[in-house]
Amino acid sequence: MAAIDKIYIDSFEKYKLFKDWCLTQPKIKDKYGKETSLINYVFNYTEWKDGAVLPVCNNPYYIDAYLIRNCPFDFIQKELMLNYGKWDQDRIDEAYKDVMKRGGEKSESGIFHWLSKDDFSVVDGKICLNQGETDYDRIKEGKLYSNPFTSIKYEIGKTFKIIQHPQRHYNRPFKLKRWFINIDIPEGLGYLLYHSNTNTWDFLDEFVIDDESSNCCTKYKTIKAIQRAILKWKLPVGTIVSCTGKYIDDTYKFKII
């Protein structure tokens, strides 16, 4: 359910256009097949102050990717380009003007100090910036966030072993109602978030419909219940599951193997 940044609009007319378009879009399925509507991610406004620039949504990556590939409005695409690393023509023109004003060389200060004239080219009178392939380009071409599940390849653990436990074995956490569960996956695999609605740990770039996500699970009251849940979570081999009570010394750690 992770999001990169909000999308802003500078008029009620544009907001209404975008909102009405979202209402016409088909249902979108998450990683687990649950459906939602695009309009559910649009903030509701009934009035708009003149000159105001307001956020209209703060989407998960997968929803932003849908907008990048499908939304017909330039004012939305311009916001998404900014959020996903691609410069629009206005910014390119502004940068080129700034660079040439200082003689075409890099500078130690200024808005575009790292750029020089060598970073630009002029094609048929149009100023172009040599940006390379951005996340916006990759999304547009279907190389990124094209599915609600991750493209990361990993081996799912078949069992686990206890690698740490308190001196006294507590089934229930000492002086607490529930255990605090955190996980640490092997380096290079990214980051997992816990979704309470599905009781799953999902990668940051995956689309899971949930009211909230967290880096901690507090669902379970007993270690035995956690042990039953661990393999259902389908965690990568090498993952460390830490279950902590009131004190650090009250920690259990399980390694997925």
Side-chain angles (χ1 to χ4, degrees), residues 7-246:
I7 295 174
Y8 291 84
I9 290 179
D10 61 6
S11 75
F12 191 70
E13 290 73 23
K14 290 179 181 177
Y15 166 73
K16 192 70 166 62
L17 276 174
F18 176 60
K19 185 177 180 181
D20 288 346
W21 177 80
C22 288
L23 284 166
T24 69
Q25 298 308 294
K27 298 276 189 180
I28 298 173
K29 290 184 179 181
D30 76 353
K31 174 183 177 180
Y32 299 105
K34 185 177 179 180
E35 291 186 337
T36 189
S37 297
L38 198 58
I39 193 63
N40 292 334
Y41 294 91
V42 180
F43 302 159
N44 187 41
Y45 294 106
T46 56
E47 58 182 8
W48 202 286
K49 286 186 178 181
D50 290 341
V53 179
L54 300 177
V56 294
C57 50
N58 187 28
N59 302 319
Y61 296 120
Y62 188 67
I63 297 296
D64 272 353
Y66 181 92
L67 294 178
I68 286 171
R69 297 189 190 105
N70 297 283
C71 187
F73 304 121
D74 288 342
F75 58 88
I76 295 295
Q77 293 297 335
K78 187 173 180 178
E79 286 288 299
L80 291 165
M81 289 169 73
L82 177 65
N83 291 347
Y84 288 89
K86 188 173 183 67
W87 291 20
D88 61 38
Q89 194 59 48
D90 289 341
R91 195 178 187 202
I92 292 172
D93 291 345
E94 180 187 359
Y96 182 76
K97 182 179 179 181
D98 183 75
V99 168
M100 299 311 292
K101 186 177 179 180
R102 64 171 185 257
E105 302 301 322
K106 293 181 180 180
S107 174
E108 293 183 359
S109 61
I111 302 176
F112 307 103
H113 65 91
W114 68 94
L115 296 174
S116 74
K117 63 182 179 182
D118 296 333
D119 293 304
F120 298 87
S121 57
V122 181
V123 181
D124 297 328
K126 179 182 177 181
I127 300 167
C128 302
L129 175 64
N130 306 320
Q131 301 180 71
E133 187 178 48
T134 66
D135 280 352
Y136 181 91
D137 297 320
R138 293 176 65 205
I139 291 170
K140 196 85 170 175
E141 295 166 9
K143 297 178 182 177
L144 185 63
Y145 308 133
S146 57
N147 293 300
F149 44 84
T150 188
S151 60
I152 297 171
K153 304 298 182 185
Y154 63 96
E155 182 183 357
I156 296 173
K158 295 181 175 63
T159 186
F160 60 86
K161 63 180 179 180
I162 299 176
I163 60 173
Q164 181 180 324
H165 59 77
Q167 279 191 328
R168 178 182 174 186
H169 286 258
Y170 299 100
N171 188 34
R172 295 179 179 273
F174 183 61
K175 292 188 177 181
L176 290 177
K177 292 183 178 180
R178 299 176 188 274
W179 291 96
F180 288 88
I181 306 167
N182 293 278
I183 64 170
D184 184 17
I185 65 175
E187 187 175 352
L189 288 185
Y191 190 78
L192 290 174
L193 290 173
Y194 178 73
H195 293 97
S196 56
N197 283 2
T198 53
N199 187 27
T200 57
W201 293 88
D202 305 283
F203 284 95
L204 196 63
D205 62 347
E206 295 187 301
F207 178 45
V208 180
I209 299 167
D210 200 348
D211 295 331
E212 61 181 48
S213 57
S214 173
N215 60 2
C216 181
C217 168
T218 56
K219 176 182 175 68
Y220 295 97
K221 298 179 180 180
T222 69
I223 289 296
K224 289 182 179 179
I226 294 169
Q227 290 175 319
R228 289 194 295 269
I230 284 177
L231 294 183
K232 295 178 182 178
W233 288 335
K234 298 181 178 180
L235 299 169
V237 168
T239 297
I240 304 298
V241 180
S242 300
C243 312
T244 306
K246 185 176 178 65

